[in-house]
Amino acid sequence: QGTINFVNNQSNLTTGTTLVRGIFPNPQPKVGRRLLSPGMFARIRLPIGAPHKALLVRDRAIASDQGLKYVYVIDADNKVEARRITTGALQEDGLRVIEEGLKPDDWVVSGGLLQVRPRMLIRPDRVPMSTFEKAPAEAKTKSAKSTKSAKAAPAKPPSVPVSQPVQREVTDFVDFTGQSKAVQSVDIIPLVTGYLVEMPFREGAEVKKGDLLFVVDRRPYKAQLDQAQGQVNLYQAQLKMARTTLARDRAVNNLSPGSISPQQLEQEQAVADEAKSRVDAFEKSKEISKLNHEFTRLSSPIDGQISFYRKTLGNLVNQNETRLTTVVSVDPMYVYFEMDEPTLLRYRRAVNEGRLPVPKDAANVPVFMALQG
């Protein structure tokens, strides 16, 4: 069981349907893997009304004539008559809801439909609707044998199984076909170029956010970081020397005005400013080198499951180009399906009129899902 958490705000003009999304839990079982995976086809069952009492008959007892549904019932003289009906949803046990056309005390022909015709006299074999299985074939075989063995005897009315409708509480629903999709899906793409040297997880493994997935050869980026650090140290020393010289000459000039020319002081100030600019530039270069060094380690951005690997150890991967794998979230899981306009209107009326047991947020309507097959 899940809930509907999104209904699109516009319909598809080509199909006349509206995209609906349900969200379903996908817990980890004690043994084996999770039930749902992205891309699976599923059967969606959407309740569109409150539970109510209804009459049900076996779906195989219902016949169709040019799209109109009917069943055979017997009268007090055991004669067959066709009764027009209006059908509802098919239940899990093979019984279908009859909305109009039947009464609880009617006897419905529940098997051997090919043997009977309207106004035909039959011998009713009364069996429960919910347990009827293979009586029609057996009855037909017995009838054929008896006719063959007693050719001269007058034909007896055939024995046909009949049943009364089942009465029980049901909930109106509509079935759809949907497809599962991960709530989150993230492609893992390297931010630096290099050779893969570590891949700690196997394909298909589940990972947590922050788990290390890939390591690109770090040595070139470590060398760049060390070089940038050396340049920063060098120009920091030059800056320190230039500032010391400038401060000393200014102090001397304060004690003995005119002993140090203004041009020399300006030149020393320019040397200190140039050293400061170089320190700032190489500090930024050092930050870039530090980031590139950190980018050699690729971690999972979400909790989820690893897809298949597109590269293996020793392969060269390119910055912002090579897709290594995809991590998809596994719990919960989205299922998308298309709802036709009449059903959407029935669904919205049921929600607005309070006929569906929904919480405060009317979007969280309960919905059920089963995998195909």
Side-chain angles (χ1 to χ4, degrees), residues 110-323:
S110 51
L113 299 185
L114 298 179
Q115 295 178 266
V116 299
R117 294 290 183 272
R119 296 181 298 278
M120 178 180 179
L121 181 65
I122 66 168
R123 287 184 295 122
D125 180 14
R126 289 175 168 79
V127 296
M129 181 70 72
S130 58
T131 59
F132 168 75
E133 289 296 341
K134 299 181 179 179
E138 295 174 358
K140 185 175 181 180
T141 303
K142 290 179 180 179
S143 176
K145 289 182 178 179
S146 61
T147 303
K148 184 177 181 181
S149 60
K151 293 182 179 181
K156 294 182 179 180
S159 175
V160 177
V162 296
S163 309
Q164 285 187 321
V166 175
Q167 297 186 72
R168 71 178 186 213
E169 190 174 79
V170 298
T171 300
D172 292 335
F173 59 82
V174 181
D175 286 342
F176 304 92
T177 297
Q179 192 168 19
S180 60
K181 186 176 181 180
V183 174
Q184 288 183 287
S185 178
V186 183
D187 290 334
I188 306 300
I189 300 175
L191 297 178
V192 293
T193 297
Y195 292 93
L196 287 179
V197 294
E198 290 185 41
M199 299 170 62
F201 287 95
R202 296 178 299 173
E203 291 178 316
E206 290 195 15
V207 294
K208 296 292 185 181
K209 181 178 180 179
D211 283 347
L212 183 65
L213 302 182
F214 300 94
V215 178
V216 177
D217 191 356
R218 315 187 78 192
R219 291 174 297 178
Y221 300 99
K222 182 65 167 63
Q224 292 177 10
L225 179 59
D226 293 341
Q227 183 180 8
Q229 183 63 58
Q231 294 288 345
V232 169
N233 294 338
L234 173 63
Y235 287 109
Q236 280 181 341
Q238 291 181 2
L239 174 62
K240 183 177 180 181
M241 182 179 297
R243 284 176 172 175
T244 300
T245 300
L246 178 61
R248 182 194 63 199
D249 289 348
R250 282 177 175 174
V252 170
N253 203 37
N254 289 334
L255 294 175
S256 302
S259 58
I260 305 294
S261 66
Q263 293 80 4
Q264 183 176 351
L265 291 176
E266 289 178 0
Q267 185 177 2
E268 291 175 353
Q269 180 65 54
V271 171
D273 291 343
E274 182 181 1
K276 178 65 169 62
S277 298
R278 290 183 176 180
V279 168
D280 292 342
F282 280 97
E283 282 285 3
K284 293 179 181 178
S285 177
K286 174 190 171 183
E287 285 299 317
I288 294 175
S289 298
K290 184 178 180 181
L291 285 175
N292 286 336
H293 186 254
E294 294 174 354
F295 289 157
T296 58
R297 298 170 60 88
L298 284 82
S299 300
S300 176
I302 60 172
D303 292 348
Q305 186 178 26
I306 300 172
S307 180
F308 65 91
Y309 287 140
R310 299 177 181 271
K311 295 292 182 180
T312 55
L313 286 175
N315 280 198
L316 178 66
V317 296
N318 297 315
Q319 176 183 2
N320 296 330
E321 292 183 6
T322 307
R323 185 167 62 162

